[in-house]
Amino acid sequence: MKPKIVVLDGYVANPGDLSWDALAALGDLTVYDRTAPSDVVARAAGADAVFTNKVVLDAAAIEALPSLRFIGVLATGYNNVDIVAARRAGIDVCNVPAYSTHSVAQLVFAHILQIANHVGRHSTSVKKGGWQHCQDFSYRLTPIIELAGLTMGIYGLGNIGKEVAKIASAFSMRVVALTSKMQYELPEYITAVDRDTLFREADILVLAAPLTKENARFVNDRTLALMKPSAIVINTARGGLVDSTALARALDSGRLYAAGVDVLDQEPPRSDEPLLSCSGCYITPHVAWQSDVARRSLLEVSAANLAAFLQGRPQNVVN
């Protein structure tokens, strides 16, 4: 008998330009574009395998699904799944590590270079006649920041953090990192530092760590007060790593130069999200992972995870 497979929120990963065929070949597949919290149990009822991107599978939902034996996370982060409850129920939870490493690192530097050079703002100015009417051969609308010689601080040296560090080194930046790794385990261009040193020395702070109970609000009033007023914060990891009210205060008061964020505490954001109206904050709608190459890899590895589970050799198990 074919296993019943349900994808709860497939639209963002695959709005129709990619194929679910690899998953469909493994069983009886139903794909929902989106699933409201109140519909999770009804839609997943009787399923052997459920895939979720951001839909929450908490203890109550897991306990209400006695047929469930596999949860596939269509992402690397899995904080939307109660992995303890899943383990207790004998359910394997599998994620997709490293599929978006290059895409996320690329967006980190897209934010950094946008803040450093403001290409879009200058291009718009030129197209509106700013250059034609300029008395000089050149003009600038903002400070132009050179990255060479600046200190890149990185929180979290997983696949993405290491890729960001490599690119920073190629820009001739000094790289420091807060990491559980020992100094001898790191490339020669990365120096391990403690938390306060990270905030004090970073000209650009990049958050590349998963969100846990222990590191929620890692960026807050106290840690922001340690930073240089010329510093930049980049968050492409999880919104919960940042106290957005504290970040907005620091930006609006001039205690921090700029921020680039791809993630927020609540997504889509609340109307009263303080960063939406904050000067010096540049926001993208959680697109770092969304390159075509990354999404294709996501679907391929997700199908491979389920295939491996069905063959009795599960891979990428997080619980």
Side-chain angles (χ1 to χ4, degrees), residues 265-289:
D265 239 348
Q266 180 175 305
E267 297 172 353
R270 306 179 305 274
S271 59
D272 62 347
E273 165 58 54
L275 294 177
L276 292 179
S277 58
C278 179
S279 61
C281 186
Y282 304 90
I283 305 173
T284 47
H286 206 142
V287 297
W289 63 284

Side-chain angles (χ1 to χ4, degrees), residues 3 58 72 83 100-101 122 128-129 135 148 159 161 206 237 239 243 267 269 306:
D58 56 17
I83 60 172
S100 62
T101 297
H122 284 94
K128 288 182 176 180
Q135 293 182 334
N159 291 305
V206 174
D243 180 336
E267 297 172 353
L306 180 55

Side-chain angles (χ1 to χ4, degrees), residues 100-229:
S100 62
T101 297
H102 296 292
S103 292
V104 176
Q106 179 175 307
L107 188 73
V108 167
F109 277 88
H111 270 288
I112 291 171
L113 293 171
Q114 194 287 133
I115 292 167
N117 291 86
H118 288 280
V119 171
R121 183 173 175 182
H122 284 94
S123 176
T124 298
S125 171
V126 169
K127 289 182 177 181
K128 288 182 176 180
W131 204 359
Q132 290 100 313
H133 299 106
C134 181
Q135 293 182 334
D136 305 301
F137 76 95
S138 173
Y139 68 98
R140 62 186 175 93
L141 301 172
T142 64
I144 305 297
I145 299 169
E146 184 170 295
L147 299 184
L150 297 184
T151 296
M152 167 76 78
I154 301 174
Y155 174 46
L157 276 183
N159 291 305
I160 292 169
K162 288 187 289 188
E163 186 67 18
V164 169
K166 188 193 307 180
I167 298 170
S169 179
F171 270 103
S172 298
M173 300 181 74
R174 172 178 176 252
V175 181
V176 299
L178 178 60
T179 174
S180 59
K181 297 179 175 68
M182 302 298 291
Q183 183 63 57
Y184 69 83
E185 299 177 276
L186 302 177
E188 62 178 10
Y189 54 83
I190 302 177
T191 301
V193 295
D194 61 31
R195 182 177 61 175
D196 285 3
T197 302
L198 179 79
F199 280 93
R200 286 194 185 100
E201 295 191 359
D203 293 296
I204 301 174
L205 174 65
V206 174
L207 305 181
L211 177 64
T212 66
K213 290 179 181 178
E214 292 72 31
N215 69 5
R217 306 296 184 270
F218 176 77
V219 175
N220 53 56
D221 281 317
R222 191 194 77 81
T223 53
L224 284 166
L226 299 172
M227 299 191 76
K228 306 169 186 177

